């Protein structure tokens, strides 16, 4: 990363207004950070919807009857470990070590796939029990919130595959580095949202 | 890159030391694992007064989000991170407004509005 933005070597006593534009890397990162925060605001609206509707089961099954905590714990571990390997992948990419980058991001993709598989398994079990999104307001809110997170993970996986292809074809040039860096931010943010999901949706469901 | 070379702040997720920062991720992973384990333990335990469990879960979740922000996203209170931290503060403000605002308003409506079946009985 040293090659991206250390060209400006100003002493710190130069006023902020005279220091010129920020490096591309800082601007890209800040812009993506703003996008992530607005994405989290979307999730906040879905969390609020779920919290309001979580008791509206319309005589149908409640969360405590439906959710399997061991299953959710496995999902949580997949996502947490994938966040960790994503971090190690970013370090490898910064070092310019292609093999390690492929390796760590490959593991990240596999763990993300595991997470999605577990989520699909859970959803299909619920649907088989007749507890689909049309059963009650509670289940509508549940499928919207958890499904939106799952869609984000799926989009992240597609992005990751595209990034691996770009590393293969373009190499770890600064442009690709910036994109990888944004992907890592996205992936870590999804893990933060998942902390809210498993706490409020799954652990919050008390009999 | 060193912090002094940054003209207008650094991007979130950017570490001052590029080498050896896998330790940051490892520490973050350990903290996150401990807090996740504590959350799943707290949800099932009899050791905690039942009415206090949701509060404990909330505290653990906020702690884990903080761990993720500091150790994985590398947001810190360093002077060159002012932009990022201000955006984060605004994000948290909007999230709080949306979530607690919705809960308060809907709780209030549930409290003051008459349930439908009672309304039907009064019209008889």
């Amino acid at each position: 990363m040293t090659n991206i933005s250390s060209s400006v070597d100003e002493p710190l006593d130069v006023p902020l207004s005279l220091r010129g534009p920020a490096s591309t890397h800082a601007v890209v990162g800040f812009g993506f950070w703003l996008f992530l925060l607005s994405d989290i605001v979307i999730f906040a609206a879905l969390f609020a919807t779920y919290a309001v509707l979580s008791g509206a089961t319309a005589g149908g099954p409640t969360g405590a009857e439906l959710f399997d905590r061991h299953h959710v714990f496995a999902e949580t571990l997949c996502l947490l470990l994938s966040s960790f390997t994503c971090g190690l992948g970013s370090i490898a990419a910064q070092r310019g070590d292609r093999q390690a980058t492929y390796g760590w991001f490959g593991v990240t993709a596999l763990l993300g796939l595991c997470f999605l598989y577990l989520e699909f398994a859970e959803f299909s079990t619920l649907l088989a029990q007749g507890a689909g999104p049309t059963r009650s307001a509670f289940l509508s809110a549940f499928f919207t919130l958890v499904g939106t997170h799952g869609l984000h993970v799926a989009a992240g996986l597609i992005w990751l595959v595209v990034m691996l292809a770009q590393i293969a074809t373009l190499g770890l040039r600064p442009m690709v580095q910036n994109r990888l860096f944004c992907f890592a931010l996205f992936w870590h943010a999804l893990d933060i949202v998942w902390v809210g999901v498993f706490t409020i949706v799954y652990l919050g469901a008390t009999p | 890159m060193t912090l002094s070379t940054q003209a207008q702040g650094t991007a979130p997720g950017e570490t001052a030391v590029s080498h050896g920062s896998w330790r940051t991720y490892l520490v973050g992973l350990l903290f996150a694992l401990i807090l996740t384990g504590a959350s799943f333990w707290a949800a099932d335990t009899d050791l905690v007064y039942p009415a206090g469990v949701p509060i404990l879960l909330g505290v653990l979740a906020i702690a884990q989000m903080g761990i993720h922000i500091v150790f994985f996203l590398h947001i810190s209170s360093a002077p060159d991170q002012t932009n990022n931290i201000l955006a984060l503060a605004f994000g948290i403000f909007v999230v709080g407004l949306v979530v607690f605002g919705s809960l308060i308003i809907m709780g209030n409506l549930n409290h003051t509005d008459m349930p439908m079946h009672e309304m039907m009985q009064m019209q008889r």
Side-chain angles (χ1 to χ4, degrees):
Chain A
M1 205 161 292
T2 38
N3 52 346
I4 297 172
S5 56
S6 53
S7 53
V8 207
D9 210 347
E10 310 261 352
L12 279 176
D13 53 355
V14 174
L16 206 59
S17 54
L18 296 181
R19 283 188 212 163
S23 67
T24 311
H25 184 70
V27 172
V28 165
F30 183 63
F32 198 73
W33 181 231
L34 290 184
F35 159 74
L36 285 179
L37 288 168
S38 64
D39 211 23
I40 284 173
V41 169
I42 293 179
F43 276 109
L46 295 178
F47 272 118
T49 312
Y50 180 83
V52 166
L53 295 177
S54 60
T57 53
T62 63
E65 291 161 14
L66 289 174
F67 302 146
D68 176 9
R69 279 188 187 155
H70 297 290
H71 195 91
V72 178
F73 191 65
E75 284 179 275
T76 308
L77 280 188
C78 281
L79 215 53
L80 183 56
L81 285 177
S82 81
S83 217
F84 175 65
T85 56
C86 177
L88 295 186
S90 317
I91 296 172
Q94 279 175 34
R95 265 204 327 261
D97 184 345
R98 262 202 213 198
Q99 290 310 314
T101 310
Y102 284 135
W104 286 122
F105 279 120
V107 175
T108 307
L110 279 182
L111 285 165
L113 268 182
C114 283
F115 173 84
L116 273 189
Y117 170 75
L118 287 170
E119 193 154 89
F120 269 119
E122 186 197 20
F123 281 6
S124 54
T125 317
L126 289 181
L127 288 173
Q129 289 172 347
T134 52
R135 179 61 190 85
S136 62
F138 151 66
L139 282 165
S140 300
F142 166 78
F143 277 97
T144 312
L145 171 58
V146 182
T148 305
H149 179 268
L151 274 182
H152 275 77
V153 174
L157 276 179
I158 294 170
W159 186 1
L160 180 53
V161 172
V162 171
M163 283 325 299
L164 289 178
Q166 287 196 353
I167 299 172
T169 52
L170 302 174
L172 286 167
R173 62 178 73 175
M175 182 182 72
V176 175
Q177 293 262 18
N178 277 340
R179 292 173 185 172
L180 267 178
F181 169 73
C182 288
F183 166 78
L185 288 181
F186 182 72
W187 201 253
H188 294 316
L190 284 188
D191 204 14
I192 293 180
V193 172
W194 181 254
V195 173
V197 172
F198 82 69
T199 302
I200 292 173
V201 176
Y202 292 104
L203 300 183
T206 43
Chain B
M1 83 185 60
T2 55
L3 289 177
S4 59
T5 57
Q6 274 304 307
Q8 297 267 2
T10 47
E14 195 164 343
T15 41
V17 196
S18 358
H19 295 288
S21 54
W22 59 271
R23 269 174 221 191
T24 320
Y25 288 104
L26 195 62
V27 171
L29 178 72
L30 286 180
F31 274 126
L33 279 176
I34 291 169
L35 288 167
T36 304
S39 289
F40 278 83
W41 170 82
D44 270 335
T45 184
D46 296 328
L47 275 175
V48 184
Y49 176 58
V53 169
I55 299 169
L56 179 58
L57 285 176
V59 169
L60 287 170
I62 290 171
Q64 191 172 345
M65 287 175 182
I67 292 292
H68 282 245
I69 287 174
V70 171
F71 289 94
F72 290 165
L73 288 172
H74 307 302
I75 301 291
S76 74
S77 55
D80 55 349
Q81 290 250 3
T82 314
N83 286 340
N84 302 330
I85 216 110
L86 276 177
L88 177 66
F90 181 66
I92 292 173
F93 171 69
V94 175
V95 166
L97 216 57
V98 168
V99 172
F100 292 108
S102 303
L103 284 176
I104 290 170
I105 290 173
M106 294 310 289
N108 200 279
L109 285 177
N110 280 338
H111 184 68
T112 51
D113 282 5
M114 188 173 287
M116 193 53 83
H117 58 92
E118 282 181 34
M119 186 107 73
M120 308 262 262
Q121 277 182 347
M122 279 183 70
Q123 285 171 347
R124 266 180 204 163

